[in-house]
Amino acid sequence: MEVKNIVSPQEHQPKDYKSENNVRWCPGCGDHAVLNSLHKAMAELNIEPHETVVVSGIGCSSRLTYYMNTYGFHSIHGRAAAIATGVKVANPSLSVWVATGDGDSLAIGGNHFIQAVRRNVNINIILFNNKIYGLTKGQFSPTSARGFVSKTSPYGTVEDPFHPAELCFGARGTFFARSIDVELKNSTAAMVAAAKHKGASVVEVLQNCVIFNDGIHNSITDRAWKAERTINLKQGEKMLFGADNEKGIVLDGFNLKAVTIGQDGYTMDDVLVHDATVKDNTLHLKLALMGAENDLPVALGVIRDVEADTYDEDYAKQIETVQQKTGKKSFTEFVMSTSNIWEVK
Amino acid sequence: MANQIIVKDLNQVSIRFSGDSGDGMQLSGTLFSTLSAIFGNEIATFPDFPAEIRAPQGTLHGVSGYQVRIGSDRVYNSGDKTDVLVAMNPAALKVNVQYLRKGSIVLYDTDSFQKKDLEKALFTTDDPFNELQLHDVQAIPVAITSLTKSSLEGMEMDNKSMIRSKNMFALGIVCWLFNRPLSIADRLLEQKFAKKPLLVQANIKALTDGYNYGNNIHLTASTYQIETVEYSKGFYTDVNGNQAAAYGLMAAAEKAGLELFLGSYPITPATDILQELAKRKDLGVKALQMEDEIAGIASAIGASFAGRLAATSTSGPGLSLKSEALGLAVMTELPLVVVDVQRGGPSTGMPTKSEQGDLNQALYGRNGESPLVVMAATSPTDCFESAYWASKLAVEHMTPVILLTDGYIANGSSAWKIPDLEEYPEIKPHYVKEFEGEAQTWKPFLRDKDTLVRYWAAPGTPDYMHRVGGLEKDSATGIISSDPANHQMMVNIRRAKIDKIADCIPELEVMGDKDADTLIVGWGGTYGHLLEALEGIRKNGKKAALAHFKYISPLPKNTEEVLRKYKRIIVAEQNLGQFAEYLQGKFGNLNIRKFNRVKGQPFLVWRLIEEFTKIIEEN
Ligand SMILES: Cc1ncc(C[n+]2csc(CCOP(=O)(O)OP(=O)(O)O)c2C)c(N)n1
Ligand code: SF4
Ligand SMILES: [Mg+2]
């Protein structure tokens, strides 16, 4: 990972990554918290603001770029992943981040998103999932549930949503994490892990749009039942959840099942241990798809974190290898070395 | 028969190799043009591909041709007509009848002029020449396929592979006809198939035997002796326009001290640029095949933001997809070179054919007031100069530049003197280090007072962190702004910045009779045809002048002055009048006559002469 190569003359504080621009999201919007987490994550990583680039598309969430005191590119709808690919391949020593919405990356920019993940370009994608188009004032998005009523679906949608994780794994993604907007500590940890991961990292943040989709994640995030309905996955630890960690995830045939330890004959030994680093993504996908519909808690934390070659590094290596073999050529040396050269004396 | 061969024009001859797309005609053609160039002729070529890779054998729409024009001087284009046609099958004969000059030679393969071959080409009799009313050509029947087979007998290869060398046998005959030394051809073949010695051996054998065959049947060669040209001293190679464009980008990157980045997506006839640059890892070029044209330009814009010389290559449909991102490059004022190799449109149109239909798209194909630089290359070798200048303008003026080429010059080739880069103008990117104030006072849309160019601060540069984007920005603070007065000012500035580039480009030149009444005007890839037409008209004793445009937005400073001097202006272009309307819109009150052909084929010089002369003769 490129971050550790940066020799840092000073310890950075979160405020070093804050720009002077006024933050213009609605009061109470989950985006504020995500921004704070990102400032904290960068400080923890201690990356140089001038060696950091944040690229975003269009949407409320994509405005994040303006609030960063790094290099920033607020681009056009859906294209952030492709632009970020250009930035990173052009200069692999930069720390490159993408801020994007569920519409931005899963609708108009769906192809760029999966291709960047497939190529494993070493960028960190923060996907703000509020299951709505915020900036255009409340239309359903590709992550809205079937039947969701919005301004463009007054009778409810008749289409099934994407699960971002499924797209990520379908594109052979090597890193996927999930967090809740207002849980700064967990979000920061997920972003730090994403940056440390070599390759394309996707962090899905469950974000609340107070204006057009207020409470959309409440069935998961409300304090009253969060402990029962979510599980924080930690590398190398048992998959436990519940107010007193009294529940666990076990394997039941090919499926996952939530059990209470000590009931129905289940013991602590039956509870699975989380390993985000296994190459095979079958279990990761199952974990990422857990939810109320299959009587399982929603997984938070780093679900998958697998080492693999990155596009930007391999591209640079290929150039190095060729140049070692043929020598680094100037333009004239190259043209003179082509076939069909003749001299007029 | 052979003794009757007569050739009237010894200065210039056009030869067309034609056959099935699988017959290797493109190879025969390129070899012949290269060896003629090395021999010392001027050359111009025109590959005419079918749209299908392998259309059904022997059919009319599967015919692939390669025209080479050679001459002692003034070879400005690949020629309207053909003096020598090599027809590997009846379909090739039928398709090319329109190009045959009176008295031209038709060398054809009798082995593939059998009944079933004639039927495939929709002949209804067994005498194709008669059926096509070709009474005044000199037909030379040669059993090319069987002669090739017997030539290669005993070599360790199967029948099919042997037959594949028939293009070399045919080339051998043509080499005999034009007195070309085989040694050059042998060398070229050795280079081309360096990894396949057996193939080299077979091809050289077929070539030699074809040559000897010409000798044995006494095809008179001396009639075709083409004088060599006085080339200036130096090293030469032959390039086509796509290669030259790729080279121009590479040369500019080196001169500017920048890494070259290309983001692209394959599309005919522009793919070669991506392929050429993908090979150039030895020069450190990064050429990415992205998932579509949008990602191609988006990645290039990202690379440009990151401080590289960034380019994207495409053809019409791809340019359409790039529109929104081009607007982003205009708004963020980032350098970018977009090469659009125009093809027949609209939509998928005629991918392998050439036209000039994308001018309006280049000029206006974006939302909002979105000015940028538009250039058009005039010949295969000019693609080098133009790509070099496009890059120079992009990084010195912080703007996207669209360089229009077209299928004709992209695939056509000519001899090219390898340039001495020392002699090329410097390229000085407008880096933020040129900014005179303190880093703390710098904002991304502060500009050079004279040129109005903003400064380029790439990530990695300490103290210049900033944000750009598609939203309008305050001219002073660089913060997003929808202030009415600010927007008006920014719109004006973006326009003025482009207009000011007119100070940095060459003035428009007028060729021919400066005191003529009629000015012929063209732009881009039709230059060779218009120049030859001009000469033809003047040879006929009429006065005419020609102004050919390479810079379209902005126009050269003296454009209006030049145009106003003439009583009438003929604007000739391969569209329905886009440039004519552009000029009229800019200056008004010009007496413009439009000459438009949109057939996917190059202009015909004789036709230009005829039509222009009619106009000149009007009072
Ligand atoms: C080419 C284009 N099409 C449509 C739009 C309008 N638009 C802007 S943002 C947006 C959707 C935003 O949704 P999302 O990505 O989920 O971001 P959010 O606002 O919810 O954070 C749309 C449709 C646009 N800006 N550009
Ligand atoms: S509309 Fe929704 S997503 Fe956008 S800023 Fe307001 S609360 Fe946030
Ligand atoms: Mg959204």
Side-chain angles (χ1 to χ4, degrees):
Chain A
M1 129 30 235
E2 79 279 1
V3 175
K4 63 175 176 260
N5 297 332
I6 295 168
V7 201
S8 180
Q10 67 184 77
E11 289 285 311
H12 283 294
Q13 302 301 316
K15 67 170 172 38
D16 297 344
Y17 302 92
K18 256 182 218 166
S19 77
E20 72 282 10
N21 290 346
N22 295 330
V23 178
R24 298 216 219 156
W25 288 309
C26 306
C29 172
D31 291 353
H32 295 282
V34 186
L35 177 66
N36 287 339
S37 300
L38 185 59
H39 289 154
K40 281 192 165 61
M42 287 184 173
E44 191 175 328
L45 292 159
N46 205 28
I47 48 181
E48 290 298 331
H50 73 270
E51 287 170 333
T52 304
V53 178
V54 181
V55 184
S56 60
I58 297 289
C60 293
S61 40
S62 289
R63 290 290 176 99
L64 177 134
T65 298
Y66 290 117
Y67 312 137
M68 302 297 300
N69 182 33
T70 59
Y71 281 89
F73 202 147
H74 175 239
S75 70
I76 44 177
H77 200 22
R79 319 300 172 197
I83 294 177
T85 298
V87 173
K88 184 67 186 179
V89 175
N91 186 353
S93 70
L94 299 170
S95 174
V96 181
W97 299 71
V98 169
T100 180
D102 43 322
D104 196 54
S105 262
L106 306 185
I108 190 167
N111 196 21
H112 308 308
F113 173 78
I114 56 173
Q115 303 287 347
V117 169
R118 173 183 67 84
R119 289 191 188 104
N120 206 30
V121 188
N122 193 2
I123 56 179
N124 314 311
I125 302 173
I126 315 292
L127 176 61
F128 294 62
N129 188 1
N130 55 9
K131 303 196 175 188
I132 194 94
Y133 285 3
L135 192 69
T136 46
K137 303 191 172 146
Q139 302 78 26
F140 67 89
S141 98
T143 55
S144 306
R146 174 180 278 268
F148 182 72
V149 174
S150 72
K151 289 179 183 162
T152 47
S153 55
Y155 298 97
T157 63
V158 289
E159 56 188 67
D160 284 321
F162 274 146
H163 293 290
E166 246 175 338
L167 276 187
C168 175
F169 293 161
R172 313 181 61 181
T174 52
F175 183 101
F176 185 84
R178 190 186 285 132
S179 70
I180 296 170
D181 51 7
V182 291
E183 294 194 339
L184 264 62
K185 214 170 130 225
N186 289 344
S187 294
T188 303
M191 292 174 191
V192 168
K196 289 187 170 166
H197 168 259
K198 221 179 85 176
S201 314
V202 178
V203 179
E204 180 193 6
V205 183
L206 305 179
Q207 177 239 325
N208 191 38
C209 166
V210 277
I211 307 295
F212 299 110
N213 212 10
D214 195 21
I216 187 67
H217 301 298
N218 265 3
S219 62
I220 306 160
T221 55
D222 197 294
R223 271 171 198 275
W225 47 67
K226 202 182 81 196
E228 308 297 319
R229 295 188 186 173
T230 64
I231 178 168
N232 275 309
L233 295 176
K234 297 203 180 85
Q235 177 64 17
E237 292 185 15
K238 293 261 178 202
M239 298 183 196
L240 296 173
F241 69 106
D244 303 309
N245 269 351
E246 75 283 9
K247 295 178 182 172
I249 307 291
V250 301
L251 210 52
D252 178 29
F254 282 120
N255 294 315
L256 297 176
K257 189 169 141 185
V259 300
T260 306
I261 295 147
Q263 277 181 19
D264 304 327
Y266 287 104
T267 67
M268 195 56 110
D269 286 349
D270 296 314
V271 177
L272 293 171
V273 172
H274 180 48
D275 186 358
T277 66
V278 211
K279 281 228 153 54
D280 184 297
N281 66 14
T282 320
L283 187 58
H284 296 156
L285 183 61
K286 285 205 163 291
L287 289 169
L289 294 181
M290 292 195 301
E293 60 282 11
N294 41 27
D295 291 325
L296 286 160
V298 169
L300 302 172
V302 178
I303 297 171
R304 180 171 173 78
D305 184 357
V306 171
E307 282 279 315
D309 293 341
T310 70
Y311 181 88
D312 41 296
E313 219 174 76
D314 281 4
Y315 205 104
K317 264 193 222 147
Q318 203 173 55
I319 290 181
E320 231 171 79
T321 313
V322 171
Q323 292 189 341
Q324 264 162 18
K325 232 190 274 168
T326 64
K328 186 172 161 43
K329 288 198 195 115
S330 72
F331 174 71
T332 309
E333 283 164 349
F334 152 66
V335 182
M336 290 302 292
S337 72
T338 55
S339 52
N340 299 352
I341 299 284
W342 66 93
E343 186 178 6
V344 175
K345 290 186 180 147
Chain B
M1 167 202 296
N3 294 333
Q4 298 160 8
I5 290 170
I6 305 155
V7 170
K8 291 180 192 124
D9 187 358
L10 291 179
N11 279 334
Q12 302 200 341
V13 172
S14 294
I15 303 105
R16 184 178 272 250
F17 296 87
S18 185
D20 251 332
S21 40
D23 279 345
M25 292 295 96
Q26 304 294 330
L27 180 59
S28 304
T30 44
L31 281 176
F32 189 72
S33 72
T34 304
L35 71 91
S36 295
I38 297 176
F39 189 61
N41 295 143
E42 281 196 1
I43 57 161
T45 70
F46 174 44
D48 197 5
F49 307 106
E52 294 79 13
I53 305 300
R54 288 275 193 279
Q57 238 182 347
T59 57
L60 295 168
H61 58 277
V63 174
S64 165
Y66 194 99
Q67 179 143 323
V68 184
R69 190 183 197 188
I70 56 176
S72 48
D73 65 348
R74 294 163 188 245
V75 177
Y76 300 141
N77 57 64
S78 54
D80 302 350
K81 293 271 176 185
T82 294
D83 301 287
V84 177
L85 172 68
V86 178
M88 300 303 280
N89 65 23
L93 178 67
K94 194 175 226 175
V95 166
N96 290 306
V97 165
Q98 48 176 326
Y99 303 117
L100 289 177
R101 225 190 270 286
K102 238 187 199 169
S104 53
I105 290 168
V106 179
L107 176 71
Y108 67 102
D109 183 6
T110 51
D111 293 325
S112 56
F113 269 66
Q114 303 303 315
K115 193 161 185 302
K116 62 170 193 333
D117 307 307
L118 291 166
E119 279 166 6
K120 274 192 222 158
L122 309 178
F123 282 101
T124 50
T125 66
D126 60 1
D127 185 351
F129 286 85
N130 195 32
E131 201 175 321
L132 295 169
Q133 302 194 320
L134 279 172
H135 305 303
D136 46 14
V137 299
Q138 307 166 64
I140 307 178
V142 181
I144 296 177
T145 307
S146 37
L147 284 165
T148 307
K149 263 197 282 185
S150 44
S151 156
L152 299 184
E153 216 172 70
M155 292 195 72
E156 284 199 7
M157 51 201 316
D158 57 24
N159 219 7
K160 225 168 130 187
S161 312
M162 286 185 187
I163 292 174
R164 216 169 278 150
S165 289
K166 68 184 174 184
N167 60 339
M168 291 298 118
F169 193 93
L171 177 62
I173 301 178
V174 176
C175 283
W176 161 258
L177 221 47
F178 291 92
N179 205 9
R180 299 284 109 127
L182 284 192
S183 54
I184 306 177
D186 292 354
R187 210 183 71 219
L188 293 174
L189 282 169
E190 275 160 12
Q191 282 172 350
K192 170 117 193 126
F193 299 112
K195 293 199 182 101
K196 299 175 183 157
L198 187 63
L199 198 59
V200 173
Q201 212 186 331
N203 278 335
I204 291 182
K205 178 82 171 36
L207 181 76
T208 314
D209 287 348
Y211 187 90
N212 292 339
Y213 178 83
N215 180 10
N216 293 340
I217 65 159
H218 301 293
L219 283 177
T220 323
S222 53
T223 23
Y224 282 102
Q225 185 76 45
I226 301 272
E227 305 264 321
T228 54
V229 194
E230 284 292 318
Y231 277 118
S232 63
K233 277 186 197 164
F235 287 94
Y236 286 79
T237 186
D238 52 353
V239 285
N240 68 32
N242 275 340
Q243 254 176 329
Y247 288 6
L249 294 172
M250 282 151 53
E254 184 172 308
K255 199 77 179 183
L258 290 168
E259 211 174 74
L260 177 58
F261 182 103
L262 180 86
S264 188
Y265 190 75
I267 183 169
T268 303
T271 310
D272 282 346
I273 299 176
L274 168 59
Q275 289 178 176
E276 188 63 41
L277 289 174
K279 285 190 272 186
R280 294 285 64 84
K281 306 270 186 288
D282 46 357
L283 273 79
V285 177
K286 290 176 174 166
L288 276 59
Q289 176 175 323
M290 295 297 288
E291 56 272 22
D292 59 21
E293 280 86 350
I294 300 174
I297 187 171
S299 63
I301 290 173
S304 169
F305 181 66
R308 303 297 185 251
L309 172 58
T312 184
S313 51
T314 192
S315 185
L319 187 62
S320 304
L321 284 174
K322 292 178 195 296
S323 300
E324 190 199 10
L326 258 171
L328 178 67
V330 170
M331 197 62 160
T332 51
E333 303 188 45
L334 282 168
L336 176 73
V337 178
V338 182
V339 184
D340 172 25
V341 185
Q342 298 169 97
R343 69 188 214 183
S347 187
T348 309
M350 301 199 290
T352 59
K353 307 295 173 201
S354 190
E355 78 185 35
Q356 298 181 304
D358 295 353
L359 178 62
N360 280 347
Q361 179 172 218
L363 285 168
Y364 313 116
R366 290 164 298 285
N367 61 305
E369 289 293 341
S370 186
L372 43 64
V373 177
V374 178
M375 296 177 58
T378 59
S379 69
T381 53
D382 184 61
C383 288
F384 177 84
E385 307 292 325
S386 292
Y388 185 92
W389 272 88
S391 310
K392 178 175 160 68
L393 293 178
V395 297
E396 289 183 349
H397 296 267
M398 298 292 285
T399 175
V401 177
I402 297 181
L403 170 59
L404 297 170
T405 73
D406 61 52
Y408 178 72
I409 60 174
N411 286 313
S413 51
S414 48
W416 179 59
K417 186 174 175 187
I418 294 168
D420 178 1
L421 284 195
E422 293 281 305
E423 289 168 8
Y424 273 67
E426 275 194 89
I427 298 181
K428 292 188 192 152
H430 199 241
Y431 291 127
V432 75
K433 63 172 191 260
E434 314 274 329
F435 176 68
E436 281 169 359
E438 296 286 307
Q440 290 75 18
T441 65
W442 177 78
K443 298 287 176 235
F445 291 91
L446 297 180
R447 299 163 191 282
D448 178 284
K449 277 195 288 305
D450 298 324
T451 60
L452 302 179
V453 177
R454 79 174 192 92
Y455 300 86
W456 200 8
T461 319
D463 305 330
Y464 289 94
M465 288 84 76
H466 66 283
R467 275 64 54 195
V468 295
L471 286 170
E472 183 65 285
K473 301 292 186 299
D474 184 89
S475 67
T477 63
I479 292 172
I480 48 180
S481 159
S482 42
D483 178 75
N486 177 72
H487 181 54
Q488 178 77 60
M489 179 163 75
M490 290 296 268
V491 165
N492 294 348
I493 288 176
R494 284 188 287 266
R495 173 81 256 171
K497 181 183 86 169
I498 300 301
D499 290 343
K500 275 176 180 288
I501 293 175
D503 294 336
C504 308
I505 59 174
E507 293 212 331
L508 185 62
E509 269 177 56
V510 177
M511 288 153 281
D513 306 297
K514 306 239 152 49
D515 60 341
D517 286 339
T518 306
L519 178 71
I520 301 163
V521 163
W523 64 274
T526 54
Y527 176 59
H529 293 85
L530 294 174
L531 187 57
E532 192 177 340
L534 175 76
E535 290 186 355
I537 292 165
R538 297 177 68 212
K539 233 195 269 171
N540 293 343
K542 300 267 182 279
K543 281 192 172 183
L546 169 68
H548 198 83
F549 287 79
K550 176 165 155 164
Y551 293 92
I552 292 177
S553 167
L555 288 162
K557 265 162 93 175
N558 61 336
T559 302
E560 183 168 14
E561 183 196 328
V562 168
L563 297 180
R564 297 260 181 246
K565 276 190 193 144
Y566 295 86
K567 228 165 108 181
R568 60 179 91 79
I569 300 164
I570 304 172
V571 181
E573 50 188 330
Q574 292 171 321
N575 55 46
L576 293 181
Q578 299 181 14
F579 190 56
E581 282 155 22
Y582 175 67
L583 291 177
Q584 195 64 277
K586 280 241 171 251
F587 305 116
N589 273 327
L590 298 170
N591 181 16
I592 287 183
R593 307 290 297 268
K594 296 193 226 167
F595 179 87
N596 308 110
R597 284 291 179 283
V598 201
K599 296 180 160 185
Q601 290 294 327
F603 280 150
L604 295 171
V605 172
W606 67 268
R607 175 65 84 186
L608 297 177
I609 294 176
E610 200 176 279
E611 300 279 334
F612 294 175
T613 303
K614 265 191 238 159
I615 297 173
I616 291 169
E617 283 171 349
E618 289 171 12
N619 284 315

